Amino acid sequence: MTRATALHLAGSLAVTAGSHRLWSHRAYKATWQLKLILMIFQTISFQGSIYRWCRDHRVHHKYTDTDADPHNSRRGAFYSHIGWLMVKRHPQYVEKLKLIDMSDLKNDPLLKFQIRYYFPLLFSLCFLLPTIIPWYFWNETLQNAWFICVCFRYIFTFQVTCLVNSWAHIWGTQPYDTRSSGRETFFTSALTFGEGWHNFHHTFPWDYRASELSGLLVNPTMMLLKLFAKIGWAYDLKKVSVEVIKKRINRTGDGSHPTAIWSWGDYEQSDDNKSSVKIEYKKQRRLQQ
Ligand SMILES: [Zn+2]
Ligand SMILES: [Zn+2]
């Protein structure tokens, strides 16, 4: 079980830090060593090639909750969770896919290598080695190694990732932008290593933190990236400013953010915000008329 948990951690983090924040959103840059590690563990997670994963994810962000969105949450929780993988893609998705720029990933030699050797890599890294290694080195039975380290681990990692497409688009708060169906939930964040702060993420998709929150429990992916940044393997980490976040909260948020301005004169209201307000029907002017 410990080995299955370790593989789940590594596979999930490679999806969140690699497929998602690095390759889909270009939220930071990475050296070849980090890219290689992420590619290996992303293959172990068995969620398709990085290229395909990112292509779907870019369409999802660009056309959220339309027919072009591969896991359109307006079609229900089951569809957005896993149902979308069981049916033919919507013609709108096929149409809009052509508009998504994938040139950066198309020319990445590591991703080209993964696509070219995807099936041998998948077979050895995701199925063969996790069965053979525990059996040979740690005296596990072949049955235990196969069912726990491969089958159970894969199903669990996959289901947890799917929660970001379903739960994180249906239930939770929208403190940054009510126009985005992305929601903030502790439940999905804790399970997905920080990917459940989805309203923030859809509002600022290029922020490497994918949330304002940090800490091992709420955003382990961010902590991992900080660790890699310290040794120089992750660099140029992009982060939105506090000022921009505050403005956005007050302009388009649902008021659930702890720093949301609840009324005129709130201590969080900046002078800039105050001076930009237009006041109509001023008392003095009305008396003069
Ligand atoms: Zn989303
Ligand atoms: Zn994203």
Side-chain angles (χ1 to χ4, degrees), residues 114-129:
Q114 195 205 28
I115 291 171
R116 185 154 188 193
Y117 298 104
Y118 189 68
F119 288 103
L121 281 171
L122 181 71
F123 176 71
S124 50
L125 294 170
C126 180
F127 299 106
L128 191 65
L129 292 177

Side-chain angles (χ1 to χ4, degrees), residues 243 246 250 258-262 265-271 273:
E243 271 312 302
K246 274 188 181 175
N250 293 310
T259 64
I261 294 171
W262 62 273
D266 183 288
Y267 75 99
E268 290 279 356
Q269 190 176 21
S270 65
D271 292 339
N273 183 298

Side-chain angles (χ1 to χ4, degrees), residues 57 60-61 164-165 169 198 202:
H57 197 65
H60 163 63
H61 271 266
V164 182
N165 299 334
H169 269 277
H198 214 52
H202 268 266

